């Protein structure tokens, strides 16, 4: 699927790509609305209204900002996330893939819309930092990955050749933005959330498992044992 001789840099999304999106889906659409209503002693209609409000910010920096939602809802979002942090976990063979990338001596950068508060929660629980050369959050650059400004800022911080870069993300809008910027090798994820059905990606090849990307043998590189 990928000719690794054509790749120098691998950009990876976190939620829904390396990590199971189930945690985020459950938190934002179930746990937070329920706890918000409990904490503020509101009715069911308020829970439904909050879900609509959350979805209304989709694709913006606010959508991904824990500080924004803490202010707007007058709740401690990080504390509420810790209530269900046992749901945070890696997708199937993500660790095998990361291990191979490290052995292959490719530049591996986490390019995520998750803000620094989310990273501070998830990285210690998953050990992702051990496999990454750099971590760039949309919060760092002031633009979400859906915007071209993110990619220009990323390239300035982490110089890469778009023609020799692989980017993997579960969000088709983000993949479209990366394609517009000129990143040549783009892959989606078929089932970002292990508890929800597979997604149809019209314009991008989507992965079932990262094992599909691992070469049987490549000079100077070794597949994981």
């Amino acid at each position: 699927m990928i000719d690794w001789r054509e790749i120098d840099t691998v950009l990876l999304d976190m939620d829904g790509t390396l990590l199971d999106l189930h945690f985020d889906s459950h938190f934002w659409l179930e746990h937070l609305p329920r706890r918000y209503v409990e904490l503020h002693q509101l009715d069911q209609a308020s829970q439904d209204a909050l879900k609509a409000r959350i979805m209304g910010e989709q694709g913006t920096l606010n959508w991904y900002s824990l500080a924004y939602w803490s202010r707007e809802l007058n709740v401690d979002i990080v504390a509420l996330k810790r209530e269900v942090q046992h749901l945070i976990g890696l997708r199937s063979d993500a660790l095998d893939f990361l291990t191979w990338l490290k052995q292959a001596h490719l530049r591996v950068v986490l390019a995520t819309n998750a803000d620094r508060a989310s990273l501070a929660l998830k990285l210690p629980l998953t050990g992702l930092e051990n496999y990454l050369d750099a971590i760039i959050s949309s919060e760092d650059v002031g633009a979400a990955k859906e915007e071209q400004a993110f990619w220009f800022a990323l390239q300035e911080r982490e110089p890469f050749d778009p023609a020799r870069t692989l980017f993997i993300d579960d969000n088709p809008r983000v993949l479209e933005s990366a394609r517009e910027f000129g990143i040549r090798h783009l892959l989606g994820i078929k089932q970002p959330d292990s508890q929800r059905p597979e997604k149809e990606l019209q314009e991008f090849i989507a992965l079932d498992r990262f094992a599909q990307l691992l070469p049987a043998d490549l000079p100077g590189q070794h597949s994981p044992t």
Side-chain angles (χ1 to χ4, degrees):
M1 185 177 290
I2 293 290
D3 184 348
W4 289 101
R5 291 167 296 191
E6 297 182 357
I7 305 296
D8 296 324
T9 303
V10 179
L11 304 177
L12 297 170
D13 172 50
M14 183 172 70
D15 301 314
T17 298
L18 294 176
L19 302 187
D20 190 337
L21 196 61
H22 175 55
F23 167 78
D24 296 278
S25 301
H26 175 75
F27 178 79
W28 292 105
L29 298 179
E30 297 178 43
H31 188 71
L32 174 58
R34 181 173 64 249
R35 295 288 284 120
Y36 172 74
V37 164
E38 291 172 357
L39 290 169
H40 293 299
Q41 299 180 331
L42 302 172
D43 57 17
Q44 178 63 39
S46 299
Q47 184 170 324
D48 296 336
L50 176 57
K51 290 181 185 179
R53 184 176 176 187
I54 291 171
M55 296 305 293
E57 293 287 353
Q58 193 168 7
T60 70
L61 274 183
N62 287 342
W63 162 269
Y64 301 106
S65 172
L66 303 194
Y68 171 82
W69 291 112
S70 292
R71 288 193 310 271
E72 289 292 305
L73 305 181
N74 192 26
V75 296
D76 187 337
I77 294 292
V78 174
L80 293 182
K81 280 199 165 196
R82 291 195 181 280
E83 293 177 353
V84 289
Q85 68 179 22
H86 61 280
L87 297 177
I88 297 172
L90 291 156
R91 288 187 63 252
S92 59
D93 59 347
L95 198 57
D96 290 338
F97 181 51
L98 289 168
T99 299
W100 181 81
L101 290 174
K102 194 175 183 71
Q103 293 171 350
H105 304 296
L106 293 161
R107 182 75 176 169
V108 181
V109 177
L110 189 71
T112 178
N113 272 327
D115 67 3
R116 285 290 167 177
S118 290
L119 289 166
L121 174 65
K122 293 176 177 179
L123 293 179
L125 295 174
T126 59
L128 284 178
E129 281 180 293
N130 299 323
Y131 301 90
L132 304 169
D133 294 302
I135 299 172
I136 304 296
S137 163
S138 59
E139 182 182 35
D140 300 335
V141 303
K145 289 189 293 184
E146 288 86 342
E147 304 171 46
Q148 287 300 289
F150 174 89
W151 301 103
F152 283 102
L154 174 63
Q155 191 173 51
E156 186 173 324
R157 289 170 179 245
E158 280 289 324
F160 64 91
D161 178 356
R164 295 187 59 80
T165 296
L166 167 65
F167 175 51
I168 307 176
D169 198 295
D170 67 298
N171 186 333
R173 286 181 60 194
V174 170
L175 290 170
E176 289 167 7
S177 181
R179 180 171 60 187
E180 182 181 344
F181 182 73
I183 294 177
R184 179 181 176 188
H185 305 277
L186 300 166
L187 292 171
I189 299 292
K190 278 190 178 179
Q191 192 176 21
D193 183 332
S194 63
Q195 305 303 308
R196 296 189 176 204
E198 292 184 356
K199 297 196 308 183
E200 290 290 333
L201 294 183
Q202 299 291 337
E203 300 183 32
F204 301 97
I205 297 173
L207 297 172
D208 284 314
R209 293 174 57 81
F210 290 112
Q212 295 173 257
L213 300 181
L214 301 182
D217 186 28
L218 192 63
Q221 300 178 350
H222 304 281
S223 297
T225 55

